[in-house]
Amino acid sequence: RLTIKGTDFNDSYSMSLRRNIGENNSSSRWEASFHNYDGLHKTDFTVGDEVVLYTDITTNPATTKIFTGVLTDVDFDGRGTVKETVKLMARDYTAILQKNTVEPEVYTDQEISTIVTNLMSKYAPASITTTNVTTTTLTPTRITFKQISLFDALKELAELVDYFFYVDENKDLHFKRKSQTSSGVTLNNTNVIRSNFRQDVDSVRNRCYVYGDRILVAAPTEAFTSNGTGSVFTLSYKPHNTAVLVPSGTAGIKQKGDVYLGTQSVASGADYLVNYHDKKIIFQSGTTVGYNSIPSSGTAFTVDYQRLRPIIKLAEDQASITLYNKRTEILMRTDIKDPQQATDLAKNRVLLQKDPPIQGDVDVVGLLNLVPGNTIIVNLPNENQ
């Protein structure tokens, strides 16, 4: 049974429903084709219409809902008046989450499921509920999101705790531990007509580097002594937020600074200029500025400043490295500004990928209503499964 925007349609000549699984999520795509003789369906379908699919073997009309989604494509194909068709495609509400953008958000000391429900309340369609969001055991020190899709934000949270998420046919978000919900189905020689299993060593990753953002930290205070003539002093690092004290100590006066070549004209009134890329402090003097700010000979002064330090975290599993050699994954995540967040992500990626997965394809007899992410029992001893 098929309804589109609340109206039943029973004249499709082909229909398919595909449920795809990712590492931490699943989504569904529905497609159907209709004859459109003499424009039979020319005004029936509009992108954005809600699609609901029911299926049962013994009940007519069917009452078991297996898909709810939104029309994303309506394609008319005309070949004269007798070969006109219309093809429809819909995505479930999990995919709809990709359309909504999370504004800059910072969560401090909040448990993961609390963050999930808060994000959903702010950025998801009001029709999507969160009844099946389950509590985790992780409370990150800090986690930030900045202009990413709601789907990607949920995916990031799921990766941290090895959870799985999707929006079901009742438009309820499931966010739960992976491999904890049983489908109740067993695949064996009574319902499997073909099977193929393989172990994929190529997908093993036993080392993970996470490159986060760069953050400002205090650099060591640097001390110099002026000779009275030289105006350029080189720092150890590229400086941010400089503070120059002349002379050094409690009697020192904080000097006024400006940016080297920051304007077309010479910066008047500044005691020194900062040449960031060359790591230099330049005291001003000469006829162009009309004064001399170079400390007198023998005067000691200090430069306090901050420097950028990159967040780089490495996690690895030595047992896996011994078995499969080093297999490294590199994640560039400039949205990560907390070192602990980078550490958690690196550790979890290695935990998930350190062993080669067993992957299988099976063809089955009968109608199985399965949800990607739920567990299924495979009992095929002849294939060593």
Side-chain angles (χ1 to χ4, degrees), residues 18-323:
R18 178 179 292 272
R19 289 171 170 167
N20 298 315
I21 186 171
E23 191 169 295
N24 292 93
N25 63 275
S26 69
S27 61
S28 302
R29 183 178 68 181
W30 169 89
E31 294 181 353
S33 296
F34 296 79
H35 291 298
N36 190 39
Y37 302 140
D38 296 322
L40 175 64
H41 291 297
K42 63 182 180 181
T43 61
D44 287 341
F45 312 121
T46 303
V47 169
D49 289 347
E50 186 170 83
V51 177
V52 182
L53 181 65
Y54 304 83
T55 183
D56 284 300
I57 294 178
T58 58
T59 303
N60 187 19
T63 58
T64 302
K65 187 187 299 184
I66 65 170
F67 173 82
T68 302
V70 175
L71 278 181
T72 58
D73 189 63
V74 179
D75 182 15
F76 288 94
D77 184 12
R79 302 179 186 179
T81 59
V82 295
K83 294 186 177 179
E84 292 183 338
T85 62
V86 56
K87 297 179 181 179
L88 308 179
M89 184 176 78
R91 303 289 300 275
D92 71 359
Y93 278 84
T94 308
I96 300 302
L97 301 180
Q98 297 175 340
K99 307 298 183 183
N100 295 32
T101 301
V102 175
E103 300 298 324
E105 296 275 4
V106 179
Y107 293 93
T108 303
D109 295 328
Q110 294 191 51
E111 187 266 321
I112 291 291
S113 69
T114 301
I115 300 174
V116 170
T117 54
N118 183 263
L119 288 173
M120 291 293 292
S121 68
K122 289 182 177 180
Y123 302 107
S127 60
I128 301 180
T129 57
T130 54
T131 304
N132 283 286
V133 174
T134 59
T135 305
T136 75
T137 58
L138 178 63
T139 301
T141 304
R142 183 178 294 103
I143 189 166
T144 61
F145 304 102
K146 185 178 181 180
Q147 301 294 339
I148 63 174
S149 72
L150 177 56
F151 179 92
D152 287 336
L154 296 179
K155 183 172 182 289
E156 182 176 331
L157 293 169
E159 288 174 346
L160 287 174
V161 287
D162 197 22
Y163 266 45
F164 194 84
F165 72 93
Y166 63 93
V167 179
D168 67 17
E169 60 276 3
N170 295 313
K171 294 191 286 187
D172 184 65
L173 176 68
H174 292 241
F175 187 87
K176 54 191 178 183
R177 179 169 292 280
K178 192 187 298 183
S179 303
Q180 294 297 304
T181 303
S182 173
S183 65
V185 173
T186 298
L187 299 180
N188 54 34
N189 290 327
T190 67
N191 55 10
V192 174
I193 58 177
R194 188 198 65 85
S195 64
N196 172 263
F197 290 92
R198 59 201 175 277
Q199 197 168 28
D200 183 15
V201 177
D202 290 338
S203 65
V204 169
R205 297 293 182 268
N206 45 38
R207 305 174 78 239
C208 180
Y209 281 99
V210 174
Y211 288 83
D213 198 6
R214 294 172 177 266
I215 58 176
L216 287 171
V217 298
T221 299
E222 299 197 32
F224 301 90
T225 300
S226 174
N227 61 12
T229 57
S231 62
V232 180
F233 298 85
T234 302
L235 303 171
S236 301
Y237 307 99
K238 294 178 179 179
H240 293 262
N241 304 324
T242 58
V244 178
L245 204 64
V246 180
S248 58
T250 56
I253 299 174
K254 189 174 182 179
Q255 305 295 290
K256 181 180 179 181
D258 209 328
V259 179
Y260 176 67
L261 297 181
T263 60
Q264 292 184 357
S265 60
V266 175
S268 178
D271 297 307
Y272 69 93
L273 304 177
V274 176
N275 184 337
Y276 171 78
H277 291 289
D278 292 334
K279 300 180 291 188
K280 298 184 184 301
I281 297 294
I282 305 168
F283 286 96
Q284 295 213 91
S285 65
T287 57
T288 302
V289 295
Y291 57 87
N292 182 2
S293 62
I294 301 175
S296 58
S297 180
T299 300
F301 65 93
T302 56
V303 180
D304 284 319
Y305 63 98
Q306 293 179 306
R307 64 185 178 115
L308 282 173
R309 289 292 303 273
I311 296 175
I312 304 174
K313 295 298 180 180
L314 169 66
E316 54 187 4
D317 186 277
Q318 193 57 52
S320 178
I321 292 173
T322 301
L323 288 172

